[in-house]
Amino acid sequence: MTDFDFGDLLFDLGRGRDLLDRGEVEEAFALAGDLFRRAPGNEEVFALFCEAALAADAPDAVPGAARRYLRLRPRDVAALEWLARAQWDLELTEACLKTCRRILELDPENYTALDYALAAMLELGDLEEAGELIERAARAYPEDGHLVYQAAVARMMRGGREEEERARRVFEEFLEREPDEVGTYINLMRIHHLAGRYAKVEDLFRAARDRGLDHEDLHFNLGLARKVAGREREAMRCFSRALRFAAAAGRELPEANFHLGQILRAAGHPLLALWMFQRELEVDDTQPAVHAEMAWCAEDLGLFEDAVRMARAAVERAPDWGVYLHSLSELLLKADPESREAEGVALRAVTLDPEHAAGWQVLGRAAWRRGDLERAEECLRRAVAGKGATAEDEGWLGLLLAERGRRGEARPLLERAARVYPFWDPVAEELTRIRGRPLPYRYEVRLVQRDREGRGWYRVLHVVAPDEARARRFALGTAASEGRGGAEIDEVQVLGFDVDHAPGVLWDSGPSRRRYPSPPPSASSS
């Protein structure tokens, strides 16, 4: 200290404290900055500067000052604590965790470091060290409610039945003491959802609402439980309410868009699902699962080039996840049946995840094209036995077996494929050869049924017939045999091949309550 004496320092430090106590944070920050420039190695000056910077909402001033101070006092734990707080406020989560690790090397039971380290690990999803830190916190601060609660959240995030149950007991104790803390209801709902106790999730939601509590995560967690329980419509309402609540509070909840998209796609609405996934991407485009779901929606819509682009985005974000490579290989082959890239991607996929079906189907079809039928059969059998196997995998294996002259083995595979993919012509043609007769089609025939007074009602029949003309005759014959006033065909739609039924009427809706519109009065009748 060269340009003022120790008395000046004490006086200015006291003045700075008074300014902070009175809430005059800008003046305190300016004074502390001047003090730090003149005495960068003084512990009390540095502490005042950091406290004033955080109070003045200027945490970005702390890291530079901390580096300067720590060059002089590299093992000063209090200075490292100030740095960790500022890094957390600046959302420099990885840097904050690194600083906390330095503190814990010097002071293994440091409260600030344990607190921020657990919070940073939760945010980063990096919970490898969390178990050891949880136990350290529990030993050092068994009565500290905040740290015990933070440790319970970490246990829940780490997963595993034992960890989740220990966290549940902590949350239940907190709930008894503080029944109006909405975060505790949310955490308990998550734990019961992970354990499959969906009735408990419902009970907690009702208990929170009975106390007048509301939060988007209450509705979101209820939606998750109902989705897994197969109550998709109710789940959609929960996710929609969660999104409305978050929007009203100025917050984002992209996960709700994701689950809404999954439900919509499963219900056969890929375009609506694609829109929901796109809304999530606008908030966070780093999640590979969202890009993968969008690729599957584009596939459902027949947009294979777009599907490939989206699947590539998923692989870019998770290059070591076999499931996304499997999906990309399959989509490359659908976009271009001669694709060489598809085979290369499939080889990477089965190396990373040999249990999944899609890559094996791609490899089997590639070997078939090359004429290596032994290898093709081996790969297609692995596809049929793999995770996520579909009737499409059975169809390709059935076609290969038929080509190899093993039609008895091929027939049940081809029939199962035809039931799921009723317009798959190569499968229908092979079944025709095996059965010795053409496969009939299933038609949906919509009639207008009239009574004797000429009033009309809609009526729908599902008919199996060799062609549309005979399907029409079956439908009209059924209507005429009932002795009503007559019927006329309104619309005929082919639903695909039918491998299970003989020609005839399979299903009849009967006359609908929905009246057919009567023609307007003619000019001659007026």
Side-chain angles (χ1 to χ4, degrees), residues 68-242:
R68 186 177 177 187
Y69 178 84
L70 288 166
R71 279 198 295 268
L72 302 171
R73 298 172 178 267
R75 297 176 65 82
D76 190 320
V77 169
L80 289 167
E81 288 180 22
W82 283 115
L83 178 59
R85 292 187 186 102
Q87 288 168 331
W88 181 260
D89 287 353
L90 291 167
E91 299 183 2
L92 302 172
T93 312
E94 292 182 3
C96 177
L97 181 56
K98 185 177 178 180
T99 301
C100 290
R101 287 179 178 136
R102 286 178 62 191
I103 296 171
L104 292 169
E105 288 173 4
L106 300 168
D107 180 4
E109 295 183 352
N110 184 277
Y111 181 93
T112 299
L114 287 169
D115 186 13
Y116 281 104
L118 285 172
M121 287 177 182
L122 289 174
E123 185 162 308
L124 295 170
D126 178 12
L127 297 173
E128 291 182 11
E129 304 170 60
E132 191 268 332
L133 287 184
I134 289 168
E135 298 304 331
R136 195 186 302 184
R139 288 193 303 270
Y141 303 98
E143 304 301 323
D144 186 274
H146 170 75
L147 206 54
V148 169
Y149 194 94
Q150 185 87 303
V153 174
R155 290 186 193 281
M156 177 182 71
M157 296 291 287
R158 289 185 77 210
R161 184 57 56 85
E162 183 179 343
E163 293 280 52
E164 289 164 5
E165 286 303 302
R166 291 177 70 179
R168 178 184 62 79
R169 289 194 291 272
V170 171
F171 293 142
E172 287 177 346
E173 290 172 8
F174 268 79
L175 198 61
E176 288 180 9
R177 295 199 299 271
E178 299 183 38
D180 290 329
E181 176 52 56
V182 70
T184 307
Y185 289 95
I186 291 166
N187 286 326
L188 279 169
M189 289 172 77
R190 287 174 181 159
I191 288 174
H192 287 301
H193 168 73
L194 291 169
R197 297 187 288 261
Y198 305 126
K200 284 282 190 182
V201 176
E202 300 267 354
D203 291 344
L204 283 161
F205 178 81
R206 282 193 292 270
R209 299 295 290 120
D210 287 347
R211 299 194 70 85
L213 303 175
D214 209 353
H215 191 278
E216 62 262 29
D217 283 342
L218 288 172
H219 298 281
F220 177 77
N221 283 303
L222 182 63
L224 284 181
R226 289 178 173 177
K227 179 187 173 191
V228 175
R231 297 159 62 184
E232 287 86 358
R233 286 185 177 276
E234 295 172 63
M236 286 183 71
R237 286 196 290 273
C238 292
F239 292 134
S240 297
R241 282 196 293 268

Side-chain angles (χ1 to χ4, degrees), residues 4 6-38 44-45 48-49 51-52:
F4 60 92
F6 191 67
D8 292 334
L9 172 65
L10 290 177
F11 177 78
D12 285 338
L13 280 172
R15 191 156 63 90
R17 291 282 168 209
D18 287 341
L19 289 169
L20 280 176
D21 291 343
R22 294 201 301 267
E24 297 175 24
V25 293
E26 296 294 340
E27 292 83 351
F29 181 41
L31 175 61
D34 182 60
L35 282 172
F36 183 72
R37 281 189 293 274
R38 289 184 284 168
E44 291 186 57
V45 168
L48 176 66
F49 176 80
E51 186 176 353

Side-chain angles (χ1 to χ4, degrees), residues 280-429:
E280 178 170 4
L281 282 192
E282 291 169 3
V283 178
D284 179 8
D285 74 343
T286 64
Q287 300 302 315
V290 183
H291 293 275
E293 290 281 356
M294 292 180 73
W296 295 327
C297 289
E299 178 190 6
D300 293 344
L301 293 165
L303 305 172
F304 293 115
E305 290 185 3
D306 291 318
V308 166
R309 177 174 52 79
M310 294 165 183
R312 286 191 197 279
V315 170
E316 287 168 6
R317 286 156 177 78
D320 296 328
W321 281 42
V323 63
Y324 300 134
L325 286 164
H326 278 282
S327 178
L328 176 58
S329 69
E330 187 176 34
L331 290 168
L332 283 165
L333 198 61
K334 288 185 176 181
D336 177 9
E338 304 298 321
S339 171
R340 291 184 178 275
E341 184 188 1
E343 186 175 4
V345 173
L347 281 169
R348 288 171 55 202
V350 299
T351 301
L352 287 168
D353 182 3
E355 304 302 319
H356 203 279
W360 289 112
Q361 187 207 112
V362 172
L363 292 175
R365 291 167 63 185
W368 190 354
R369 286 198 307 275
R370 291 195 304 270
D372 187 351
L373 301 188
E374 288 291 338
R375 173 63 174 164
E377 182 176 338
E378 175 193 349
C379 292
L380 289 171
R381 285 195 182 280
R382 294 200 63 169
V384 167
K387 290 185 300 186
T390 67
E392 183 181 358
D393 300 305
E394 293 187 304
W396 284 111
L397 179 58
L399 289 169
L400 176 66
L401 292 173
E403 182 170 308
R404 305 193 76 185
R406 288 145 62 186
R407 290 183 168 176
E409 289 181 69
R411 180 170 178 166
L413 295 166
L414 294 169
E415 287 177 344
R416 285 196 290 272
R419 292 185 188 103
V420 178
Y421 302 101
F423 292 100
W424 195 351
D425 289 338
V427 167
E429 290 163 6

